[in-house]
Structures are given as structure tokens and as C-alpha cells.
Amino acid sequence: MSAAAFLQQAITFLPILLKGAVVTVQVTVLSFVLSSVIGLVLALMRLSPVRPVATMGASIVNLIRGLPIIVQLFYGSFENAVGNAAHEACGLKLEKSSLPAMRNSTVRIVSKRV
């Protein structure tokens, strides 16, 4: 491959790579914020003086910490596939998200009115 051909391909694919980098940063920030909020809520539940709330918080933390991450990933992907099929079977229409960063990866549910 000549240098001119390489530069032409680099110029062609650079915008796509930059969009991917922007989406990666957006997903990272969103994950950080959501995990911080969920972690704070679970920590406060564990510190609660109300025994059932503290027990539930400790149980959730122990369950998440005890399951291997691959099992959690399989469960999440399986639930997503089953959930999409169930929504379609119930007559719910799935549409692509309107968020620019998530347009190709997420769906929102819009019910059909009869």
C-alpha cells in the first residue's frame, strides 16, 4: 500500500473513529455516574438502622459480588433478548433511541394505541 493510499484511507476513516471515541467517553461517563449512584444507595441501605433495609442491601451486595461477571453478562444479554421478544409479542413497537450517542444501540418502547 502506498503512502498516498494509506493517507486517503486514514482521512476516510478518521471521522468514524472519532465518533467511536466520543461514544466510548459518553458510555464511560454514564456508567461511572450510574454505578456511583447505585453504589451510594446500596451503601446507605447497608448502613440503615432499619434491619430489613440493611439486610436487603447486604443481600444485594453479596449477590452481585458472589456472581462471576460472565454470568452477569450472560444474564443481562439473555434478559435483553427475551425482553425484546416479549415486547414484540405483546404488540409493543420498538424504536431506535433519539439520543445521538445511543442511536444505534438502544431502543425505546412505544405502545400501539388501538
Side-chain angles (χ1 to χ4, degrees), residues 75-89:
Y75 180 77
S77 64
F78 177 73
E79 281 296 315
N80 189 25
V82 170
N84 288 342
H87 286 123
E88 290 173 3

Side-chain angles (χ1 to χ4, degrees), residues 13-85:
F13 290 110
L14 188 61
I16 297 169
L17 292 173
L18 291 176
K19 285 181 185 177
V22 168
V23 170
T24 300
V25 170
Q26 289 174 340
V27 169
T28 301
V29 170
L30 182 64
S31 298
F32 177 75
V33 170
L34 287 176
S35 62
S36 296
V37 169
I38 292 170
L40 179 64
V41 168
L42 289 173
L44 292 175
M45 285 176 69
R46 288 185 72 180
L47 295 174
S48 173
V50 180
R51 190 141 178 97
V53 173
T55 302
M56 185 170 39
S59 299
I60 293 170
V61 169
N62 288 333
L63 177 71
I64 292 172
R65 287 178 68 190
L67 281 177
I69 191 69
I70 191 72
V71 173
Q72 295 176 28
L73 290 171
F74 278 141
Y75 180 77
S77 64
F78 177 73
E79 281 296 315
N80 189 25
V82 170
N84 288 342

